[in-house]
Amino acid sequence: MSWLFLTSGLFLGWSLGANDAANLFGTAVATRMLKFRTAALVGGVFVVIGAWAGAQGTSETLGRLGTIDAPAGAFVVALAAAAAVVLLLTRSGLPVSITQAIVGAILGWNLFNGKATDLKTLTQLLSSWLLSPLLAGLIAAGLFLVARRFLQRRRVHLLEVDAWTRTALLVVGAFGAFSLGLNDIANVMGVFVRVSPFPAETAIGPLRFTSVELLFLLGGIAIAVGIATYSGRVMVRLGSGLASLSPLAGLLVVLAAGLVLFIFGSPALQRLLRTAGLPGWPLVPVSATQAVVGAIVGTALVRRSGIRLKPLGQIAIGWVAAPAAALVFALVGLFVVQNVFELPVSATPRPAAGARVVAGSAS
Amino acid sequence: MTILFRRTRALEAQIDQFLDAVSEGCLVFEKGVDDYLRHDEPSFEERRKAIGVFEGKADALRREVETRLYAESLIPDHRGDVLGLLENLDNVIDQAKQTLGQFEVERPEIPEELAPDYLALARACVQATQHLVDSCRAFFREITAVRSHIHKVYFFEKEADRLADGLKRKIFAMDLELARKIHLRYFCFHVETLSDRAEGVADRLAIYTIKRTI
């Protein structure tokens, strides 16, 4: 039965692969710099590696927001997030993110079960949503200026630029896919960490996996399947619509977005910063789509090519609409699962009526 | 790294060879006109054959470059522009070849006093083509330098217009048969067309350059 509950997470992973991975290879595939088959293979492999490597990263932050401790609860939370994303993406075309939807769904679970929400973690998450497109824009603008100066000074032939870009699109796409897996695996499988159906340690051949590693590996595979089965169509649509980016500009945008996902998702980088006596960056799942939009706006500002304000407004709407929709779906879903199917959605029942919930005091 | 760029370098070399062929073909055109005006028949015949060779070489190289750009899906965002550029440059050397051919077929009787004017016109036109070839080389390697070369193309095109206008006035002020005057004007127009073609390519190149900025 507990295996069945994982299906909503796997669906969420598939949807992430189909949509967010398209951001990474969209320009390359749409301009035919890369074949879709190559992009899907490289993207799939590196997203799985990233997801496995991300076992210690951003899921801890989501865990602090809400410790979902019943399989049915985790199932509903992941399903509500997926439903919110699918609804908002297909009905209104908003660039909403699974990242924001899952937070809304977790808050819904907290609310339904009378659990307190860690306000510090919530603030960290909210500020990172704002920060990630800003940072991506800043990095993309910097990369753009450096690339432009380099190409002007070195007098690189148009065909050589093309050959370099082609290779770099594959390498940077692989890095982006790794960072996507690293950062966003928590969105897909984070809510199942406490209720994993896997034993504490599993040996597959010479390799030993912890329960969480195996869970994230499975999530990574779901993302890879999403890339292989559906992202091609999204890539062509997105790549030809992304402000008609040239392959080189597209490359810089993907690199900037990949760096942002890596910065917000890498425990190794955090340890390195702390070792060097620098403040550690919070490990927070951020949206790849919104990082890409931020990077595009950053390059547009540097090129002085003018920016359309509509995508920025849509991001801001997405920040509110996605978590709000997911919260409502989670509340409804949890109510149905608990009262119609009579499945426990939390291991610790809701405190008696009248009991006061204090922020940070929940177990 | 060498393997990665081997094919690219070969294609770069072909584009350079194409530009060399256009440039040398136009220089041969100038020499051919000079030979004709000096009545140096063997040398004129040699130039006429040489321009044919350069035009044929340019055609073959252009086709090969075009095929490779499409077959290997290279420079997807600039492929159309580059193909347009090469085809229009090819028209420039075609024009030079045709004009020299018309001199050979129609044998216009150019009065001695007009010979320097025809030569000056041919030189201005060829100067325009040489700067056009330089601007095309810059388009591939040094995008910021394209403008300064294009500016010179426009300058020599205007100079050719001015010289052609003066030459036509001189022709029609002379005491010659109307049929001969029209024939001489016709050759003035043919030579002048070379700079007009160069100007047309420069106009396209100016737009391609704006598009090439990342």
Side-chain angles (χ1 to χ4, degrees):
Chain A
M1 186 68 177
S2 55
W3 283 90
L4 200 65
F5 290 129
L6 279 182
T7 51
S8 64
L10 295 177
F11 174 66
L12 204 55
W14 177 85
S15 152
L16 187 91
N19 289 294
D20 284 28
N23 291 313
L24 306 172
F25 289 102
T27 310
V29 172
T31 56
R32 299 189 182 180
M33 293 289 272
L34 286 182
K35 287 179 187 158
F36 170 69
R37 202 178 293 175
T38 313
L41 183 72
V42 171
V45 168
F46 279 88
V47 92
V48 171
I49 297 172
W52 175 66
Q56 296 300 315
T58 50
S59 66
E60 284 179 13
T61 310
L62 280 188
R64 282 202 302 276
L65 190 68
T67 317
I68 298 165
D69 50 11
F75 171 80
V76 172
V77 164
L79 195 64
V85 168
V86 170
L87 182 83
L88 290 169
L89 260 180
T90 53
R91 299 288 293 181
S92 63
L94 287 172
V96 293
S97 156
I98 289 167
T99 308
Q100 274 110 43
I102 199 81
V103 167
I106 292 172
L107 291 180
W109 185 86
N110 283 353
L111 205 65
F112 187 83
N113 293 298
K115 310 279 185 193
T117 298
D118 183 354
L119 290 177
K120 190 185 162 201
T121 307
L122 187 63
T123 315
Q124 212 172 48
L125 279 162
L126 295 179
S127 54
S128 72
W129 293 352
L130 186 71
L131 200 62
S132 63
L134 278 175
L135 192 64
L138 215 62
I139 293 173
L143 287 171
F144 181 85
L145 289 173
V146 171
R148 189 161 64 181
R149 179 156 289 198
F150 175 80
L151 290 174
Q152 281 172 1
R153 286 200 174 175
R154 293 294 301 269
R155 299 181 185 181
V156 189
H157 196 282
L158 178 63
L159 287 163
E160 275 178 49
V161 175
D162 182 71
W164 276 108
T165 308
R166 206 170 285 263
T167 313
L169 276 168
L170 194 65
V171 175
V172 168
F175 168 69
F178 173 82
S179 300
L180 181 74
L182 189 75
N183 187 291
D184 281 19
I185 190 64
N187 297 327
V188 176
M189 284 290 161
V191 293
F192 295 97
V193 168
R194 284 281 184 116
V195 293
S196 171
F198 301 111
E201 198 169 271
T202 310
I204 301 173
L207 299 170
R208 289 185 175 278
F209 294 95
T210 65
S211 160
V212 177
E213 280 174 342
L214 213 54
L215 197 65
F216 283 17
L217 200 62
L218 199 65
I221 292 167
I223 301 173
V225 171
I227 295 174
T229 56
Y230 201 79
S231 68
R233 268 165 274 187
V234 188
M235 279 180 197
V236 173
R237 180 169 53 80
L238 208 72
S240 49
L242 272 180
S244 61
L245 286 180
S246 69
L248 186 57
L251 168 76
L252 301 177
V253 163
V254 173
L255 182 58
L259 282 168
V260 167
L261 290 175
F262 184 76
I263 288 168
F264 279 103
S266 171
L269 181 70
Q270 194 190 42
R271 278 197 298 274
L272 198 73
L273 286 171
R274 287 199 173 137
T275 314
L278 295 165
W281 204 272
L283 297 178
V284 179
V286 290
S287 162
T289 310
Q290 291 175 6
V292 164
V293 174
I296 291 172
V297 171
T299 50
L301 283 173
V302 175
R303 290 170 78 179
R304 294 181 187 163
S305 56
I307 50 164
R308 283 161 52 222
L309 293 174
K310 200 179 167 192
L312 294 179
Q314 283 182 332
I315 288 185
I317 294 169
W319 286 337
V320 181
L327 188 143
V328 172
F329 289 153
L331 286 176
V332 174
L334 290 166
F335 180 82
V336 171
V337 166
Q338 183 173 269
N339 297 296
V340 178
F341 295 100
E342 295 183 343
L343 290 168
V345 292
S346 172
T348 48
R350 186 184 174 86
R356 199 159 162 253
V357 180
V358 181
S361 65
S363 57
Chain B
M1 205 58 70
T2 317
I3 296 166
L4 182 70
F5 292 115
R6 191 182 295 156
R7 285 193 309 176
T8 304
R9 295 257 157 81
L11 195 55
E12 276 174 41
Q14 281 181 324
I15 291 173
D16 279 336
Q17 284 165 18
F18 170 81
L19 293 172
D20 290 345
V22 173
S23 169
E24 287 176 45
C26 290
L27 289 170
V28 166
F29 167 79
E30 185 191 319
K31 293 289 172 198
V33 172
D34 188 28
D35 289 338
Y36 183 84
L37 294 170
R38 286 190 295 104
H39 309 291
D40 186 348
E41 197 56 36
S43 182
F44 173 74
E45 192 50 31
E46 204 178 299
R47 308 286 188 197
R48 208 182 55 77
K49 282 179 183 162
I51 201 169
V53 171
F54 281 121
E55 196 269 338
K57 189 181 171 189
D59 261 347
L61 283 164
R62 175 181 59 80
R63 286 198 195 98
E64 207 169 324
V65 169
E66 284 178 355
T67 307
R68 287 190 62 188
L69 285 179
Y70 265 107
E72 295 170 28
S73 295
L74 299 173
I75 46 171
D77 46 338
H78 299 297
R79 196 187 304 141
D81 294 349
V82 169
L83 296 189
L85 189 63
L86 299 185
E87 275 163 19
N88 282 285
L89 264 176
D90 200 26
N91 289 341
V92 172
I93 190 172
D94 277 354
Q95 178 64 40
K97 184 194 156 193
Q98 267 181 31
T99 304
L100 220 53
Q102 275 154 344
F103 270 102
E104 201 263 333
V105 172
E106 299 183 27
R107 298 279 162 183
E109 287 178 39
I110 295 172
E112 288 297 321
E113 61 265 42
L114 292 184
D117 296 281
Y118 272 98
L119 189 60
L121 176 62
R123 276 189 183 143
C125 290
V126 169
Q127 283 286 326
T129 64
Q130 297 307 298
H131 286 292
L132 177 68
V133 170
D134 288 344
S135 62
C136 291
R137 285 192 208 279
F139 174 76
F140 287 105
R141 263 190 203 286
E142 196 186 358
I143 198 81
T144 49
V146 174
R147 249 178 92 91
S148 66
H149 290 297
I150 285 182
H151 170 74
K152 286 171 192 156
V153 176
Y154 291 147
F155 172 80
F156 283 106
E157 194 276 331
K158 279 195 180 64
E159 184 65 9
D161 275 354
R162 192 184 63 80
L163 290 168
D165 188 59
L167 181 57
K168 282 179 213 162
R169 283 175 195 279
K170 267 191 190 176
I171 291 167
F172 282 93
M174 288 174 89
D175 186 20
L176 297 169
E177 277 181 39
L178 182 62
R180 195 174 165 198
K181 284 180 185 175
I182 292 171
H183 198 208
L184 290 173
R185 188 215 60 183
Y186 181 65
F187 270 85
C188 173
F189 168 74
H190 272 311
V191 175
E192 187 193 0
T193 304
L194 189 63
S195 69
D196 290 339
R197 293 263 163 135
E199 187 195 31
V201 183
D203 284 340
R204 282 169 173 267
L205 190 61
I207 303 295
Y208 299 158
T209 305
I210 295 166
K211 284 168 72 183
R212 234 207 92 180
T213 50
I214 61 166

